[in-house]
Amino acid sequence: MEKRKGIWFPAKRCGWGWGLPCAWQGWVVLGVYVGLVTAAAAFAPKKGTAWFHAVFLVLSIIVVGIFWLKGERPERRR
């Protein structure tokens, strides 16, 4: 995969959105996101499902924002 300067997440070849990271920084972002969602799931029985859903929503908005800032412009591709 070709590395482009400053791009952590390349656009998907087909469809809309981003593919797997092409830089180590992108892998760190993805790993931290998965780790935090997993940790939130571990606390969900004590905190409740509404708490988990709120945390999941906030984390997902943050990670999509990072994808948007550090990824290629997502566009519909065939």
Side-chain angles (χ1 to χ4, degrees), residues 2-8 22 70:
E2 169 186 329
K3 287 194 176 192
R4 294 174 195 104
K5 192 169 182 124
I7 298 294
W8 296 356
C22 64
K70 298 305 289 180

Side-chain angles (χ1 to χ4, degrees), residues 9 18 29-30 33 58-68:
F9 305 97
W18 300 276
V29 167
L30 201 56
Y33 172 72
V58 169
L59 291 174
S60 296
I61 290 170
I62 291 169
V63 80
V64 168
I66 294 171
F67 275 43
W68 196 269

Side-chain angles (χ1 to χ4, degrees), residues 2-70:
E2 169 186 329
K3 287 194 176 192
R4 294 174 195 104
K5 192 169 182 124
I7 298 294
W8 296 356
F9 305 97
K12 290 172 62 175
R13 289 188 213 172
C14 296
W16 189 90
W18 300 276
L20 290 174
C22 64
W24 68 268
Q25 296 94 333
W27 285 106
V28 169
V29 167
L30 201 56
V32 168
Y33 172 72
V34 169
L36 289 174
V37 169
T38 303
F43 286 107
K46 295 177 185 175
K47 301 280 188 174
T49 57
W51 177 84
F52 173 74
H53 287 263
V55 170
F56 181 76
L57 180 65
V58 169
L59 291 174
S60 296
I61 290 170
I62 291 169
V63 80
V64 168
I66 294 171
F67 275 43
W68 196 269
L69 291 172
K70 298 305 289 180

